[in-house]
């Protein structure tokens, strides 16, 4: 279904869908998004006459609804990996790929995005889609955010070991990609050595618990990564659920399930994952805090729901992290603009946009 939907998207359809999703994210309490963007070309893989039109349209969507965005333009070269090496791209994957590093660099070199709420970064889809030699290009982009799917599933590790004799993390390390600029997305199935490498590099690790749960991918080693020195943040990934409170709460709850111990993370640490660490991971180091000179991005939580009834102000952060949900968000301000008021986006009808955009993919 994912491939079927991706196959149908045009620049106009992509804009409409992204507008709806970004509006929903704002209403849920997200103020910034790192868009892992790899829908580059036409359905048959041919470039558009404007090579970056799809990137431009997803940024247009973010600007339309007011969310802060970092476009993570993604390198995607191969269709998979096994002991015999890399596979050719399938028909469904052609539009994701520039076919070579040189073409990727040529296209992204033409990318010109503007706006005070827009920044750019680099992404590597995964070791399954980018070979070790091609990873070297990423080292030239370490002055801006670099994101990569890393050890999301055990099979990915098995494929890397069979083809390269190393874990995906070790391949990234050998290519010089591990650094404070890197955000490893998922990082669910890591060896102790992998965890040490990521921690020593000062990398960020983006957990996406509702997606990892939805796909039955497993529970990542959150406490071990945090102890090793990695910075934890969260993403909504597949948007199976769009709720920042559920994502950060799940870091602690999944750790409880894995370790059968409570209290690995306190509410302050989890709030940092949803704010300061998240902003840093997508290249807004000045964000995620309320202080003079920081971006004026913040949300307000209503206290009238059953979930928050009787909240003790001295325990307010605990109450918000462990009880609140996206439905409790009343107001959202991004870059000083009051975008969500009374729980609804001030400029668009989000539910109607979502309904039209989703239906159009499967008609």
């Amino acid at each position: 279904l994912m491939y079927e939907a991706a196959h149908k998207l045009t620049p106009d359809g992509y804009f409409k869908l992204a507008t709806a999703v970004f509006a929903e994210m704002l209403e849920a309490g997200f103020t910034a998004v790192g868009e892992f963007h790899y829908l580059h070309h036409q359905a048959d893989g041919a470039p558009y006459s404007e090579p970056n039109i799809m990137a431009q349209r997803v940024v247009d969507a973010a600007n339309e609804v007011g969310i802060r965005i970092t476009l993570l333009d993604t390198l995607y070269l191969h269709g998979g990996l096994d002991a015999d090496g890399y596979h050719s791209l399938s028909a469904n994957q052609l539009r994701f790929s520039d076919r070579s590093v040189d073409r990727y660099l040529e296209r992204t070199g033409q990318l010109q995005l503007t706006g005070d709420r827009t920044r750019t970064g680099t992404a590597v889809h995964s070791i399954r889609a980018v070979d070790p030699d091609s990873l070297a290009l990423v080292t030239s982009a370490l002055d801006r955010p670099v994101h990569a799917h890393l050890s999301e599933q055990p099979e990915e590790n098995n494929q890397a070991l069979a083809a390269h004799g190393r874990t995906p993390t070790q391949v990234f390390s050998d290519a010089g990609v591990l650094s404070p600029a890197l955000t490893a997305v998922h990082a669910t199935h890591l060896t102790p050595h992998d965890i040490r490498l990521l921690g020593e590099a000062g990398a960020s690790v983006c957990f996406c618990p509702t997606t990892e749960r939805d796909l039955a991918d497993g529970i990542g080693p959150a406490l071990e990564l945090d102890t090793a020195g990695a910075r934890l943040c969260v993403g909504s990934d597949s948007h199976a659920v769009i709720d920042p409170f559920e994502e950060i709460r799940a870091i602690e709850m999944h750790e409880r399930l894995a370790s059968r111990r409570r209290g690995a993370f306190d509410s302050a640490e989890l709030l940092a994952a949803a704010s300061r660490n998240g902003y840093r991971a997508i290249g807004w180091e000045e964000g995620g805090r309320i202080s003079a000179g920081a971006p004026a991005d913040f949300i307000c939580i209503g206290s009238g729901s059953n979930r928050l009834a009787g909240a003790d102000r001295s325990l307010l952060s605990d109450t918000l992290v462990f009880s609140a949900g996206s439905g409790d968000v009343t107001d959202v301000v991004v870059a000083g603009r009051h975008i969500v008021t009374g729980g609804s986006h001030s400029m668009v009808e989000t539910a109607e946009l979502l309904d039209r955009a989703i239906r159009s993919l499967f008609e």
Side-chain angles (χ1 to χ4, degrees):
L1 286 173
M2 181 194 74
Y3 281 131
E4 180 185 340
H7 196 73
K8 289 183 176 182
L9 282 171
T10 63
D12 184 55
Y14 196 29
F15 170 77
K16 291 177 180 177
L17 183 62
T19 299
V21 173
F22 290 155
E24 183 182 2
M25 292 181 74
L26 282 162
E27 289 184 352
F30 285 98
T31 54
V33 57
E35 180 63 27
F36 204 103
H37 169 70
Y38 55 96
L39 198 62
H40 302 310
H41 305 299
Q42 298 181 62
D44 63 358
Y48 286 99
S49 57
E50 297 178 52
N52 289 298
I53 185 62
M54 293 296 269
Q56 184 61 61
R57 295 307 276 155
V58 77
V59 169
D60 289 345
N63 290 335
E64 178 81 6
V65 298
I67 198 167
R68 195 178 294 277
I69 186 170
T70 298
L71 184 85
L72 302 165
D73 198 291
T74 305
L75 178 64
Y76 195 119
L77 298 176
H78 307 292
L81 177 66
D82 60 24
D84 295 324
Y86 283 92
H87 303 172
S88 298
L89 296 161
S90 70
N92 287 323
Q93 296 168 319
L94 291 175
R95 71 183 313 183
F96 305 157
S97 180
D98 293 294
R99 314 298 178 85
S100 74
V101 173
D102 287 343
R103 289 180 182 175
Y104 169 82
L105 292 174
E106 180 182 3
R107 180 182 57 75
T108 56
Q110 300 173 35
L111 189 60
Q112 295 182 335
L113 303 174
T114 59
D116 59 359
R117 298 186 307 277
T118 301
R119 291 183 182 175
T120 58
T122 298
V124 173
H125 181 272
S126 64
I127 194 61
R128 292 173 290 129
V130 179
D131 56 274
D133 289 341
S134 298
L135 282 173
L137 80 95
V138 176
T139 61
S140 66
L142 292 180
D143 60 341
R144 59 180 185 169
V146 177
H147 286 226
H149 294 131
L150 190 70
S151 293
E152 181 177 358
Q153 299 166 333
E155 187 59 24
E156 178 186 336
N157 289 356
N158 295 338
Q159 292 163 349
L161 288 167
H164 305 305
R166 293 165 288 167
T167 65
T169 303
Q170 186 66 61
V171 174
F172 275 59
S173 178
D174 293 344
V177 179
L178 297 193
S179 83
L182 176 71
T183 296
V185 183
H186 301 300
T188 308
H189 300 282
L190 302 176
T191 67
H193 182 63
D194 293 337
I195 293 170
R196 181 173 64 80
L197 288 173
L198 288 164
E200 290 177 349
S204 295
V205 176
C206 182
F207 278 18
C208 307
T210 62
T211 296
E212 290 145 11
R213 179 191 306 167
D214 185 50
L215 298 179
D217 282 341
I219 296 172
L223 182 59
E224 290 93 333
L225 284 162
D226 181 69
T227 302
R231 291 181 174 89
L232 300 184
C233 56
V234 292
S236 56
D237 194 20
S238 69
H239 303 310
V241 172
I242 296 184
D243 187 333
F245 300 96
E246 181 62 23
E247 302 292 353
I248 59 171
R249 181 162 52 238
I251 292 178
E252 165 66 14
M253 295 306 183
H254 286 185
E255 185 66 30
R256 293 182 187 187
L257 289 174
S259 67
R260 298 189 300 280
R261 295 192 304 271
R262 306 172 195 164
F265 297 95
D266 62 30
S267 58
E269 292 171 311
L270 296 173
L271 286 171
S275 54
R276 185 173 61 250
N277 292 0
Y279 270 73
R280 175 187 176 277
I282 59 173
W284 300 85
E285 300 233 11
E286 70 274 34
R289 56 193 173 88
I290 298 178
S291 62
D297 298 356
F298 51 88
I299 68 175
C300 298
I301 310 298
S303 58
S305 74
N306 293 341
R307 292 179 294 277
L308 301 178
D312 185 332
R313 293 189 66 83
S314 66
L315 299 173
L316 190 56
S317 62
D318 290 336
T319 303
L320 291 178
V321 169
F322 293 105
S323 298
S326 59
D328 296 311
V329 175
T330 61
D331 294 80
V332 177
V333 173
V334 179
R337 297 175 61 202
H338 198 161
I339 294 171
V340 174
T341 304
S344 297
H345 199 286
S346 60
M347 294 173 280
V348 300
E349 289 290 338
T350 304
E352 183 179 340
L353 282 177
L354 283 166
D355 184 69
R356 287 204 309 264
I358 293 170
R359 286 180 183 275
S360 69
L361 294 177
F362 300 103
E363 287 176 349

